[in-house]
Each structure stands twice: as C-alpha cells, then as structure tokens.
C-alpha cells in the first residue's frame, strides 16, 4: 500500500465533496488527468473491517483542486462518516479495487 493522503473531515467534506489536501499528500499517484477519472475503492475501518462494498468514486478538478464528487456522498452516508473523522486514502492494487480508504472515527486514537 502506498499512502496518497490523510484528512480530518469537515461538515462540507461530507455533505458536498471531499477536496483533497494538496500539500500533505502524494497526489502524483492519481495520474495527471483532465476532466474526471473513476477510482474503484474499498472502504474499511481502522481495524480492517469492510464498511461498504467496493465503490467507484469520481475524482475531478475544481478550481485547481482535486475533488472526490460522484460516489463520495453515498460512500460518506453509507459508512456513517461524521465531521472530525479521519480518512486515509491508499493506492493498493488487488482483485477488487486499486484504492482503499481507512477510517478512524473522531473519538478514536
């Protein structure tokens, strides 16, 4: 697994779209693109339990930032994400998906 980014979620991240953190991330792993790309993704708890099945998240550019849009809102809702939770996004090639999110709840250490 190769780390792409870690982000503490805000209310806006959950309700609208997840803006990827530009400075503290390894976004070069999301190959350069124009428009939108689809990212087949698995979402797990910090303990490694799958929270939802493999999903496809669309990543697009908005005002110069990379943003997770279509698919992200449903994923956030289905996984029960809340403001203050931390997500870590990895590149991991396996049979189901190329990417993986791990969740640490806001109250977890």
């Amino acid at each position: 697994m190769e780390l792409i980014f870690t982000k503490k979620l805000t209310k806006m991240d959950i309700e609208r779209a997840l803006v990827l953190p530009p400075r503290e991330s390894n976004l070069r792993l999301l190959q350069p693109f124009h428009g939108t790309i689809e990212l087949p993704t698995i979402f797990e708890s910090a303990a490694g339990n799958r929270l939802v099945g493999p999903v496809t998240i669309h990543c697009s550019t908005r005002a110069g930032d990379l943003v997770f849009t279509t698919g992200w809102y449903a994923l956030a809702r289905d996984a029960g994400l809340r403001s203050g939770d931390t997500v870590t996004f990895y590149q991991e090639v396996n049979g189901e998906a190329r990417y993986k999110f791990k969740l640490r709840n806001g109250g977890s250490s």
Side-chain angles (χ1 to χ4, degrees), residues 17-77:
L18 176 64
V19 177
L20 282 58
R23 290 186 197 100
E24 303 163 9
S25 55
N26 200 1
L27 297 181
R28 67 171 174 72
L29 294 174
L30 298 175
Q31 69 222 11
F33 66 93
H34 295 286
T36 301
I37 59 172
E38 295 183 354
L39 305 173
T41 304
I42 294 172
F43 202 96
E44 294 181 346
S45 69
N49 299 317
R50 186 168 295 174
L51 300 174
V52 295
V55 295
T56 298
I57 296 173
H58 293 208
C59 183
S60 60
T61 54
R62 184 181 298 167
D65 292 322
L66 291 177
V67 179
F68 285 170
T69 54
T70 305
W72 167 252
Y73 178 74
L75 175 66
R77 181 193 63 232

Side-chain angles (χ1 to χ4, degrees), residues 82-96:
R82 297 182 310 254
S83 179
D85 289 346
T86 300
V87 291
T88 303
F89 192 65
Y90 298 92
Q91 180 178 38
E92 178 182 80
V93 178
N94 66 35
E96 293 181 272

